[in-house]
Amino acid sequence: AQSVTQPDIHITVSEGASLELRCNYSYGATPYLFWYVQSPGQGLQLLLKYFSGDTLVQGIKGFEAEFKRSQSSFNLRKPSVHWSDAAEYFCAVTGGGNKLTFGTGTQLKVEL
Amino acid sequence: EAGVAQSPRYKIIEKRQSVAFWCNPISGHATLYWYQQILGQGPKLLIQFQNNGVVDDSQLPKDRFSAERLKGVDSTLKIQPAKLEDSAVYLCASSQQGSDGYTFGSGTRLTVV
């Protein structure tokens, strides 16, 4: 069965600092991987996705993620965090055409 | 392009009452999903439709939850009777192909008291 682990429940960074959110997945074949962001009271917005090809994926809002098969990881990064990035971030995996399995999320707080 | 529409946005009911949520997916999206997101957890799939047929309802508590997607467009999720542990945000999503990324609605926040 597919699963996703996000080890960090809460992360606090200063505005302008770099960010890395960790995601480890478990899936038997080649996974399709996603990062979503959720602001309070809002639905989930897709930041980026990986299906195949270049393992470094660029997304919206200046985010990027790197797929590392050997480490079963898909970590999300941003070089310089803005106060508006404060939200909850979810990593998800699917096998293609199937259900999305989400991690438990990482709550990001940005200090001004 | 209009997004996934859900209503109501908020609902408060007493335990043992019934409640229904409505979802209108993006036009042309054949696949529709209902997810349950309990506070502090990631969303969990309840049911997946392909057109008007059920693809996966393995995690739907069928003794109290039901869902339908008439004519392969709108969908309704019902809970009867509700329990305290059903308090959650219910998210609807749709996609053209399962691998392309889903579009989520804003969700319905249910509070059972």
Side-chain angles (χ1 to χ4, degrees):
Chain A
Q2 59 201 43
S3 66
V4 174
T5 301
Q6 293 181 250
D8 304 306
I9 298 175
H10 298 280
I11 284 185
T12 300
V13 300
S14 299
E15 188 175 38
S18 63
L19 171 70
E20 182 169 29
L21 302 182
R22 295 183 292 166
C23 171
N24 292 97
Y25 68 90
S26 174
Y27 187 70
T30 301
Y32 296 155
L33 294 158
F34 304 80
W35 274 99
Y36 284 88
V37 61
Q38 186 177 39
S39 297
Q42 301 299 311
L44 293 157
Q45 181 183 22
L46 179 67
L47 287 175
L48 48 79
K49 59 190 177 187
Y50 171 78
F51 293 160
S52 64
D54 192 346
T55 57
L56 185 62
V57 181
Q58 300 298 320
I60 63 171
K61 304 185 179 184
F63 285 93
E64 66 178 27
E66 186 171 12
F67 171 61
K68 293 185 177 180
R69 184 186 299 276
S70 62
Q71 299 178 20
S72 297
S73 69
F74 189 56
N75 294 348
L76 182 72
R77 300 194 294 250
K78 187 170 185 177
S80 178
V81 171
H82 188 263
W83 64 266
S84 60
D85 293 325
E88 188 151 25
Y89 292 79
F90 291 94
C91 182
V93 65
T94 183
N98 297 319
K99 65 182 182 183
L100 275 173
T101 298
F102 287 87
T104 51
T106 297
Q107 187 71 45
L108 174 64
K109 180 180 176 181
V110 180
E111 291 182 333
L112 300 176
Chain B
E1 174 181 79
V4 175
Q6 290 189 248
S7 67
R9 286 298 309 274
Y10 305 94
K11 190 75 176 177
I12 301 175
I13 62 172
E14 295 182 349
K15 59 183 179 183
R16 291 187 289 274
Q17 285 187 324
S18 62
V19 65
F21 313 128
W22 173 81
C23 172
N24 181 238
I26 291 175
S27 178
H29 280 196
T31 310
L32 184 148
Y33 311 80
W34 282 102
Y35 283 82
Q36 179 193 57
Q37 186 178 17
I38 294 173
L39 186 64
Q41 300 181 20
K44 181 187 77 173
L45 180 71
L46 291 175
I47 189 166
Q48 176 183 347
F49 291 95
Q50 182 75 20
N51 296 309
N52 61 349
V54 175
V55 174
D56 184 349
D57 64 356
S58 58
Q59 297 193 78
L60 186 74
K62 298 180 185 64
D63 58 334
R64 298 184 300 106
F65 286 65
S66 65
E68 61 181 7
R69 190 182 184 197
L70 300 177
K71 300 180 181 179
V73 182
D74 293 8
S75 178
T76 302
L77 177 69
K78 297 179 181 178
I79 308 175
Q80 181 179 12
K83 293 185 175 181
L84 296 177
E85 58 261 36
D86 298 331
S87 294
V89 175
Y90 291 84
L91 294 164
C92 180
S94 69
S95 67
Q96 285 183 309
Q97 296 176 2
S99 309
D100 289 344
Y102 307 13
T103 302
F104 283 85
S106 297
T108 295
R109 181 175 297 277
L110 173 67
T111 303
V112 182
V113 297

